[in-house]
Amino acid sequence: MKLKTIYNKFDKALIPSLPIAQFEGRIVVILTAGETEKAVRYLMDQPILGFDTETRPSFKRGHQHKVSLLQVATPDICFLFRLNHTGLTPSLIRLLEDESITKIGLSWHDDVNSLHKLGNFKPGRFIDLQNMVHDLGIEDLSLQKIYANLFGQKISKRQQLSNWEADVLGDKQKLYAATDAWACIMIYNEILRLKESSSYELIIKEENNEANISEKR
């Protein structure tokens, strides 16, 4: 069995040269409470979901906008809930509190804090990828570095600081948002595969840039 090489810290300088990874499924923008209810009904039947949020950036010191968007993805469809239009509806709270569906996020504690400013809820079954990657020896915490490490592909961050409260989201914004939520599922499944198959080797990047193979799987 061929071993996959992963690193404790992925070299950021390599990321621009990597091929682009992006979500290729269907993207659905949700603007009303009625649409939210229908979307949540569909999502509650799925075994695994990727989650992320987006907030309009503030360029004024001490000022922060409320979370604008909640992205929830399956492997082939992503719903973009425009929270600045709908708020945190009862159906979304039901989804967030659900204990039966595996929900995957990255730095999910920060997302929960942002969502709590829109409404009270008790987070259900969520798995934070930042905790999972430590089991493989990966020290990076950003989605872009983790994805590059595991798949050798780049997730573009160009839309990160765009206006998430715009009247109409642009196609690039929608693709960026959907990709981040979908990537959480991809990373989760790959971590499980590597752990179960023991088919990876971890290379430790030292501070002096020398690399040593610390563990073979």
Side-chain angles (χ1 to χ4, degrees):
M1 178 185 297
K2 184 177 180 180
L3 298 179
K4 170 175 279 192
T5 298
I6 60 175
Y7 302 88
N8 66 318
K9 294 181 179 180
F10 193 82
D11 188 350
K12 187 177 181 179
L14 297 176
I15 291 178
S17 64
L18 297 177
I20 291 285
Q22 60 186 26
F23 180 62
E24 296 182 355
R26 183 183 172 202
I27 301 173
V28 181
V29 179
I30 303 297
L31 290 166
T32 69
E35 292 172 349
T36 300
E37 178 66 38
K38 291 179 182 178
V40 168
R41 213 176 300 139
Y42 173 84
L43 291 168
M44 293 289 284
D45 287 333
Q46 308 307 309
I48 183 171
L49 299 172
F51 276 71
D52 193 24
T53 66
E54 302 297 337
T55 300
R56 178 183 176 182
S58 174
F59 302 104
K60 292 182 180 180
R61 191 172 186 177
H63 181 267
Q64 186 175 5
H65 294 284
K66 291 184 178 180
V67 60
S68 310
L69 190 71
L70 172 67
Q71 306 103 275
V72 186
T74 74
D76 51 18
I77 186 170
C78 183
F79 293 94
L80 306 182
F81 296 94
R82 300 209 64 189
L83 301 180
N84 56 313
H85 288 264
T86 67
L88 200 60
T89 66
S91 56
L92 278 177
I93 289 175
R94 187 169 74 250
L95 178 63
L96 291 168
E97 292 187 332
D98 182 81
E99 294 283 356
S100 62
I101 305 168
T102 300
K103 297 186 280 291
I104 315 299
L106 184 98
S107 188
W108 182 243
H109 177 75
D110 294 334
D111 290 324
V112 168
N113 286 340
S114 297
L115 290 168
H116 272 157
K117 295 177 181 178
L118 299 182
N120 292 321
F121 64 94
K122 182 180 179 181
R125 185 186 179 193
F126 276 93
I127 296 174
D128 195 320
L129 293 173
Q130 289 185 340
N131 297 327
M132 285 191 74
V133 294
H134 285 301
D135 294 339
L136 298 182
I138 294 174
E139 299 174 33
D140 291 321
L141 298 179
S142 75
L143 184 74
Q144 188 182 56
K145 281 190 174 182
I146 294 170
Y147 200 92
N149 201 346
L150 293 177
F151 296 102
Q153 294 179 309
K154 173 180 66 176
I155 293 178
S156 173
K157 307 306 288 185
R158 289 184 179 180
Q159 297 298 314
Q160 187 173 28
L161 297 180
S162 60
N163 181 10
W164 295 103
E165 293 182 9
D167 290 339
V168 178
L169 294 178
D171 289 342
K172 291 182 179 179
Q173 284 181 301
K174 290 186 284 188
L175 182 58
Y176 167 88
T179 297
D180 275 7
W182 162 81
C184 289
I185 298 176
M186 299 294 289
I187 291 170
Y188 173 78
N189 286 336
E190 182 65 1
I191 292 172
L192 289 186
R193 186 189 73 81
L194 292 176
K195 289 174 67 176
E196 290 173 2
S197 64
S198 297
S199 58
Y200 67 93
E201 61 179 12
L202 175 68
I203 294 182
I204 302 296
K205 287 286 189 78
E206 305 290 356
E207 292 300 324
N208 60 4
N209 293 324
E210 292 181 0
N212 296 306
I213 298 177
S214 68
E215 186 174 1
K216 287 189 175 181
R217 296 285 182 173

